[in-house]
Structure formats: structure tokens, C-alpha cells
Amino acid sequence: MRTSRLVAASLAGVVACGLVVSTTLPASAVASSKPAEGETLKLPAPIGRYATGESTFRLVDNSRSDPWTPNQPFRELMISVFYPAVHTGGKPSTNQFPAAASALIGASLDSGNNLPAGLVNWAATKTHSVQDAAMAPGRFPVVLYSPGAGDPRDSNVTLVENLASQGYVVVTIDHTGEAPATEFPDSHVVGNAPLLAAFAQVGDDQAAATVLLTKVMDIRLADTQLVLNRLSSLPHRLTAGMNLNDIGMFGHSAGGFEAAETMYHDPRVLAGVNLDGTLEFTENPDGTHLSQVALHGLKQPLLLMGSTGRYPSSIHVEPSWASFWQHQKGWKADVTLNDSQHQSFTDAEPLLAQLAGKVPDSTLTYDNGTVDARRAVAADRALVDSFFDRFLKGHDNHLLDGRGASQYPITFVK
């Protein structure tokens, strides 16, 4: 299965190596498979004016059964909420990955990124956010984040946490049954065995791949609707600072596709960013199975951010982006991150760069490209921040008009 535009490297790598995890595991079973101590990788610190907090919640939809778990009459999700906070000094930061799920997530990351097992201690990486910290005073726009297919919701803390530090409430979504492991408050962990089996069964059957990818996106759209509907039901300590009249969404790969499709179907989402995600239901994008958003465009603004690597994405080479560009009614821009690969828009960029000298250079450039990691992170953050500042806060630094763009490794595609 191709990994470039819709299916994350972590998922495709697991399928390829034959690793299948159980659908539901008790925390004790996961804990027994902890990886050996390895390298501790560090996420880049956010640069906004606010400290950040993180809270996690379980959401349950009793109106639909779980599409990946037979006989489960409800759909359950986990979300994380990152937000501007106060009084976090001296308090411990949260872990990037939940403790009970980190072994399975780590195994998936190792296989998907061709890393030796045990080289990285994926349970040790910390965020810069304090659990349930007091929220900063004010009312902040809300932005949803969705990861690529096969990635956990915690796979882009670099962008999410920085956005929260700039004065946003950012809600990240685990699409249960896609991520290698989703840990719930009662400590049970749900893996992705049914999804892996479905991708393995598809093989080279393009028609079957289209059916499966359509199913994945339909599930994601329903999950996002659940999250949007429940935002106002979160604890008052959070909702008191959330401006639910200004909602945006961004995502990587399938998550970027999901953000655009959500905007097409739900006017509550006012602005969106697609990080290197195709807008069609095909393994190898060729314009044959375009989505509604690719066929009709949007009234809301959408920023396309593409890579230049094995499967470059821009309005000139990606058929679904070209169709969207032709039909888009709202504001639009296409920005390329130079010398990048598909994972250059995620935490893989700053984290894997720390393994230089410990793995072959080809391993790092395969997922991250040759762009300097610090410059890539700076560019990704600057573009995402500038976009949401412009369309959710009304503050425009004109980066998306090209002003100051020369300091970043980016090209505006016309």
C-alpha cells in the first residue's frame, strides 16, 4: 500500500512487516512488552507567549456501532486538548504517548521508519504541557487536528503545542482502530488489527483500495462530527476560554483530506490547512475517484502545504489538488516545503533528526527529506500560525502573501 498521501508510513510499515496487534488489550498486557531503554528524543519547545496545558477525554457515540470492532454497539474516541495555560512552572510535563500505549506505538514507529527496535525509548518523550493546568484568561479560537491514517493523535505535538502557545485551543483526535494503540481512562488499549487486515487484504486491488479508503474517510468524518458536537460539553474550566464561533481544522495526510472534507460538509469549520494529503480515494492519486471537496471546492479558506519528495504534491502534479484549485471559491494558497518528504510536516522531522549518526542517512532522508529539521519546523509553524491568525483572529502578518517568506525553505506555487 502506498504511503505517500493518504496512508501514514507507520501504518504501511506495519502492514508490510506483518505486525498485527490485538484489537483490545488490557494495560497489563501492553506493559509487559515495554521496549528496552533507548534514546530519549526531545520535542522542540513552543515559542508562543503562553505556557500550555493538556487534558484528555473519552467521547462516546451511542448512535453508531464501532466499524472496526465487531459487536461493539458504540463508538468511543480519545481526544487531547492543548490550550494556553498559566502557572505551569516547575510542574512535570505530560508524556507524548500514553504509558500503556507507548510500546505498541513505538513498535509501529520503528517499523514504519525502518529503525532498529529498541533504539528509541518512545515512552520517554515529553511534551512541554502540564496536565490539567489552569487555563490562561481570555477566549481563544478552537482548532481541531487529525493525524494521518495509522498515526496516533500525538504525532504532531510540534505544531499543535506551538499553536496552543500562540493562543489557540487545539483538539487532537484519535480515530480508534487506526492508531497503533489508543489508551482509554479505564486502562484498556485498542489496537488496529482489523484495519491492518483490511489493508493487507486489499493488496494491489485498486477498486478494493478505493472502497476501503472511502470507508476510512467516512468513519473519520463521523468522528469529527462527534468531536465538534461535544466541544461545548467539555469541562467549564476549558469551555470558559473557548471561542466556539471561531473554529478551524488542520491535519496531515488523511487528516488533511479530512479537514477539507469536514469543511465541505460542516460550515462550523471556518478555515483549514491540508498538510500533504490527497483529496481523492485512490492509493495512487490519478484523478479517477475525486472527493466532493476536490470536485466542488469550498467557500472557506484552505491552505495546501505540499512536499517535494518521492511523491511531490502541488496543484501542478496532484490531480485532486488541481481540481480543487479550479473549483475553489474561497481563499486558497499552495505552499511547498522544499527538499521535504511526506513526514516532514509531523514530529518525525524534529525527532528522527536527533538520530543522525545512529542510523544511516538514507533512513532519515527517506521520511524527512534533506531539508534542515530546524528550518522545516520553523516553516511549518510559521505557515500554520499565520494562516489561523489571519482567518480566525483577523491578524495578518502577510506571510501567506509572500512577505518574509525568504527566511523559510518554502516556495509559493502559482
Side-chain angles (χ1 to χ4, degrees):
M1 198 74 184
R2 183 178 174 182
T3 67
S4 62
R5 306 300 312 286
L6 190 59
V7 181
S10 57
L11 175 60
V14 171
V15 172
C17 74
L19 174 62
V20 177
V21 300
S22 301
T23 302
T24 304
L25 296 172
S28 58
V30 177
S32 65
S33 60
K34 285 183 180 178
E37 287 293 320
E39 298 286 334
T40 296
L41 306 182
K42 295 182 179 180
L43 291 163
I47 60 174
R49 60 176 289 202
Y50 294 101
T52 55
E54 180 189 5
S55 296
T56 60
F57 302 96
R58 173 180 179 256
L59 303 182
V60 179
D61 185 352
N62 288 309
S63 69
R64 60 182 173 127
S65 58
D66 191 280
W68 302 117
T69 305
N71 303 319
Q72 180 168 298
F74 59 89
R75 175 70 167 164
E76 61 178 349
L77 305 177
M78 286 298 296
I79 62 171
S80 290
V81 182
F82 290 83
Y83 54 91
V86 294
H87 308 309
T88 62
K91 298 179 181 178
S93 298
T94 60
N95 291 326
Q96 180 180 18
F97 302 120
S102 61
L104 295 177
I105 292 173
S108 177
L109 291 170
D110 288 342
S111 62
N113 294 294
N114 198 29
L115 301 177
L119 174 63
V120 176
N121 180 0
W122 294 105
T125 303
K126 296 285 188 179
T127 72
H128 298 86
S129 301
V130 171
Q131 183 174 349
D132 301 333
M135 195 173 200
R139 290 181 64 81
F140 306 100
V142 177
V143 177
L144 274 57
Y145 174 78
S146 183
D151 279 346
R153 69 186 187 276
D154 313 294
S155 59
N156 214 333
V157 174
T158 299
L159 294 187
V160 166
E161 203 171 42
N162 189 68
L163 196 58
S165 79
Q166 303 285 357
Y168 292 85
V169 176
V170 188
V171 182
T172 65
I173 308 169
D174 243 0
H175 297 287
T176 312
E178 278 194 36
T182 300
E183 181 180 339
F184 289 90
D186 66 358
S187 296
H188 81 278
V189 176
V190 177
N192 56 4
L195 178 64
L196 295 181
F199 273 108
Q201 186 175 2
V202 164
D204 295 326
D205 186 336
Q206 296 303 308
T210 294
V211 171
L212 178 56
L213 293 174
T214 302
K215 175 182 177 179
V216 168
M217 190 56 59
D218 286 345
I219 294 168
R220 283 171 161 255
L221 291 175
D223 289 347
T224 305
Q225 286 297 305
L226 174 63
V227 175
L228 287 168
N229 292 340
R230 298 290 177 82
L231 289 175
S232 60
S233 300
L234 294 175
H236 182 263
R237 63 181 177 83
L238 295 177
T239 58
M242 295 165 59
N243 181 357
L244 296 180
N245 292 318
D246 289 321
I247 299 177
M249 185 171 181
F250 74 119
H252 173 248
S253 197
F257 186 175
E258 177 189 344
E261 278 288 284
T262 296
M263 292 168 66
Y264 181 82
H265 294 285
D266 195 323
R268 288 178 293 181
V269 183
L270 304 180
V273 180
N274 175 1
L275 304 174
D276 213 37
T278 187
L279 297 174
E280 65 173 295
F281 303 100
T282 49
E283 181 184 356
N284 297 293
D286 57 9
T288 58
H289 294 86
L290 296 176
S291 65
Q292 293 299 302
V293 72
L295 288 169
H296 303 293
L298 297 165
K299 295 179 181 179
Q300 310 99 305
L302 183 73
L303 170 63
L304 301 171
M305 292 176 59
S307 61
T308 62
R310 293 181 301 282
Y311 310 109
S313 52
S314 77
I315 57 173
H316 300 305
V317 298
E318 163 63 64
S320 67
W321 284 24
S323 178
F324 167 80
W325 195 261
Q326 178 183 353
H327 295 97
Q328 171 68 346
K329 306 168 189 67
W331 182 95
K332 60 189 179 184
D334 183 1
V335 183
T336 295
L337 181 63
N338 301 331
D339 303 316
S340 61
Q341 293 284 2
H342 188 52
Q343 298 298 321
S344 294
F345 303 96
T346 73
D347 290 335
E349 184 68 50
L351 292 181
L352 296 186
Q354 296 168 47
L355 299 177
K358 300 179 177 66
V359 296
D361 289 346
S362 58
T363 298
L364 303 179
T365 58
Y366 188 83
D367 282 323
N368 284 2
T370 57
V371 62
D372 178 80
R374 288 171 295 182
R375 298 192 71 214
V377 167
D380 291 344
R381 284 176 163 182
L383 289 164
V384 170
D385 293 351
S386 178
F387 176 83
F388 286 120
D389 281 354
R390 180 171 181 169
F391 292 107
L392 296 184
K393 291 185 176 181
H395 302 156
D396 190 0
N397 67 359
H398 297 285
L399 174 61
L400 294 169
D401 298 323
R403 184 184 300 177
S406 60
Q407 64 185 303
Y408 303 110
I410 58 176
T411 300
F412 284 81
V413 183
K414 305 294 185 181

